[in-house]
Amino acid sequence: MTFIRLAGLGRAVRLPDRSRLDILTDINLEIERGEHIAVVGRSGSGKSTLLNLIGLLDSPTAGTYELDGRPTANFSVRARARLRGATFGFVFQQFNLLPRRSATENVAAPLLYSSGRQVWRRRNAAREMLERVGLGQRLDYLPERLSGGEQQRVAIARSMVRGPQVLLADEPTGALDIDTGNSVMDMLQEMVAQSGTTLVTITHDLSVAARADRHFRLEHGVLSRLERAELPSVTARRSVV
Amino acid sequence: MTPLAAIFAEAWSEIRVHKLRVMLSLLGVFLAVLGMTSIAAAGDIGRQLVTESAERSGGRPATVTVQAFPLTAAPDADVISSALRDVVERYDIRWSSLVLDQEIVANFPAFTERVQVRSVDPEYGPMHRVLLADGRWFTPADSDRYAPALVVSASFLARLGGFDPNSPPTVRLGGTTPVTATVIGVLEEEDFGAPFAYLLNESAQTWISGEAGFGQAPMLEMWVPPSQVEEVSAAVTGDLRATLPGHEVFAERLDQGAELADLDGVLNYGVRGVGYFALLLGGVGVLNVGLVVVGQRIREIGVRRSFGATSTRVFLTIMLESVCATAVAGALAVGCAIAIVLNLPYEQILSVPIEDLPPFPLKAAVEGFLAATAVGALAGIIPAVIAVRAKVIDAIRY
């Protein structure tokens, strides 16, 4: 069943000289529940904008976006925020961990925007999640004391702690070396597979994209299908767009 | 309930993380509330000291004196005393005393001296907050003693030696028909070397009315509700004029209650004004730091938006950080003010006795705490608006 449907989606901005810049044009994409898709593209091709639109952080200027069969254009700002927290998990290239908060506090943070039992149990849930990503010995470590790979694992634990239906990963291995990046991706894929979470990965690394079920290329704001033959094998080291 | 608890938890977590910044920004608020609350409370104690001191001389609010004297002949003390006592009884005035100041010869062991004696009723003590260093004040039973009882000043006692309640000192009063009087109490108030004594009116009447100088007419002091001063004065003087034809009768308020109320108002508004101004300056400090910090936290706010934080939630969290912090600073300041104000040795510092040390004024404590919290809310609004208006995409990319 289609969970995310983008039809003719576009995003344009008005520049200071009043001219119009089209970042995304006529994006058509359907994503099934539990599916793993990857979007590759060079810097500035509009990858992050596409991720922000899917994650309800931004609104399209053209086309329609249906989430689980409901057009998102009808949602109020407040409803979008609530839906975003309940539906999506985000993994950022630069981890974006909250400074001066321990790993546990970082992972527990999204649960403050949840409700009922999840709020009161947030620290226990955070500890359990950190143990799942192999950081049971780093519960009280501040981000500054963690390696890049560990920080990204904390970020993944944080993105998964509310049990999102969709995980949006923006260059999840972009700040990591090849081996660490591979191990982080292995872990990420294992977690989403276990929970049946939909994974949308945006990357410029073809070997990371190759791990997905379906692949797309974003070039000058236009999305096109990428055949598996165009990608390196999953075991290949690193191949950049 | 849970969302509210979550907002508080988040705001408190932010305060904890940024404790040094928070503490520095709150120093101004803390000092302002400490100053405001301490001065307000110390003002209450100061007012009490002034009030008690004033009440010792002029009586409690409202003390009204009534005097009657003949326009032509010499006063007849018995007639005037009787008329004064009649009006007290007629109007059922609970607190009143006839008062008469006289000089009398006192035969001390070493020498004889004329001393000042004030004849009063037992009610005079509570009416004037008479403080005793030793012994006791008069009771109605002292009128039935076989010898007059005296409450004397320190230098009066010094002329007799010391005070032992089991074997109280005695002194012979009067030159022509001397009588031995017993000292039952010693005044705490300083007499500056001039011996002084209180005596009951009935004792004076019984034992020493024949002495030279005695026989003058006393005046009446009444302690009445301040709101009834005019009414009681008019009624009493009217009755006395009718009872004592050919006498000039007048009544006047003796206590300084009205003047003290004016002083109280000036002190109250002056201290509050300074306190609120200081608090305003503290609030500007909190606002300033809040503005700088919210700029540094834009990325964090963006990340929280990705967790599902609504605009309302971001606004409330940023504002509550400010409110929680200033409320804690206010509570600490009030606590410190209570500790300081209640432990100051006022009597040693001011060399004035205080009978009823007032409790720490609850109003000042509540006002200090609420003012600090309100300043936190005001200082938190602008940073909160800036945080809400930050664009999520830019915030994450920041």
Side-chain angles (χ1 to χ4, degrees), chain B residues 343-395:
Chain B
N343 288 294
L344 278 179
Y346 295 99
E347 296 197 8
Q348 280 95 322
I349 293 170
L350 302 168
S351 303
V352 177
I354 183 162
E355 193 179 14
D356 298 329
L357 187 69
F360 192 91
L362 182 66
K363 190 182 159 199
V366 172
E367 194 173 297
F369 178 73
L370 290 181
T373 310
V375 160
L378 287 174
I381 285 176
I382 297 175
V385 168
I386 291 173
V388 167
R389 293 177 68 173
K391 288 187 175 164
V392 185
I393 311 296
D394 297 338

Side-chain angles (χ1 to χ4, degrees), chain B residues 66-377:
Chain B
V66 182
Q67 284 182 280
F69 53 88
L71 292 170
T72 51
D76 184 331
D78 289 343
V79 171
I80 293 174
S81 295
S82 172
L84 292 174
R85 292 221 184 268
D86 282 350
V87 291
V88 167
E89 198 173 329
R90 190 173 310 136
Y91 292 103
D92 195 21
I93 296 166
R94 164 74 184 85
W95 292 96
S96 70
S97 172
L98 295 190
V99 180
L100 179 62
D101 285 324
Q102 307 276 353
E103 272 194 353
I104 192 169
V105 172
N107 301 289
F108 294 112
F111 53 88
T112 299
E113 188 180 2
R114 291 190 74 78
V115 295
Q116 193 76 30
V117 174
R118 179 170 290 177
S119 313
V120 296
D121 293 333
E123 287 77 10
Y124 182 93
M127 284 169 67
H128 282 263
R129 289 183 178 276
V130 175
L131 283 183
L132 297 178
D134 222 334
R136 61 172 179 83
W137 180 250
F138 302 111
T139 64
D142 288 322
S143 305
D144 302 330
R145 295 169 70 103
Y146 292 113
L150 292 179
V151 173
V152 302
S153 67
S155 62
F156 191 112
L157 181 71
R159 285 159 169 77
L160 296 174
F163 182 79
D164 178 2
N166 298 316
S167 175
T170 57
V171 59
R172 284 180 70 76
L173 295 179
T176 49
T177 54
V179 60
T180 300
T182 306
V183 175
I184 61 164
V186 182
L187 297 169
E188 187 174 305
E189 206 172 349
E190 178 65 51
D191 65 2
F192 303 104
F196 175 80
Y198 283 107
L199 177 72
L200 280 179
N201 278 315
E202 290 193 26
S203 299
Q205 186 70 28
T206 307
W207 302 103
I208 50 181
S209 57
E211 283 296 312
F214 272 77
Q216 287 182 23
M219 66 176 182
L220 171 66
E221 280 191 17
M222 304 178 293
W223 178 19
V224 296
S227 60
Q228 294 177 16
V229 169
E230 301 290 328
E231 191 186 349
V232 171
S233 299
V236 167
T237 51
D239 276 21
L240 284 172
R241 282 188 191 112
T243 316
L244 300 168
H247 283 68
E248 176 69 29
V249 179
F250 65 92
E252 64 178 348
R253 189 166 170 177
L254 189 65
D255 69 280
Q256 297 162 26
E259 291 87 344
L260 286 175
D262 292 343
L263 177 70
D264 194 55
V266 172
L267 207 73
N268 205 8
Y269 288 112
V271 166
R272 271 191 186 168
V274 171
Y276 277 115
F277 184 70
L279 196 58
L280 189 70
L281 293 182
V284 170
V286 175
L287 170 65
N288 207 5
V289 174
L291 285 175
V292 171
V293 169
V294 84
Q296 294 169 348
R297 286 173 55 193
I298 288 293
R299 177 196 283 253
E300 182 187 320
I301 291 161
V303 172
R304 290 188 182 277
R305 290 288 204 143
S306 78
F307 297 158
T310 60
S311 300
T312 310
R313 178 66 178 268
V314 170
F315 181 89
L316 284 178
T317 303
I318 300 285
M319 204 175 85
L320 268 180
E321 280 174 42
S322 179
V323 171
C324 284
T326 53
V328 169
L332 284 175
V334 167
C336 288
I338 291 172
I340 291 168
V341 168
L342 293 185
N343 288 294
L344 278 179
Y346 295 99
E347 296 197 8
Q348 280 95 322
I349 293 170
L350 302 168
S351 303
V352 177
I354 183 162
E355 193 179 14
D356 298 329
L357 187 69
F360 192 91
L362 182 66
K363 190 182 159 199
V366 172
E367 194 173 297
F369 178 73
L370 290 181
T373 310
V375 160

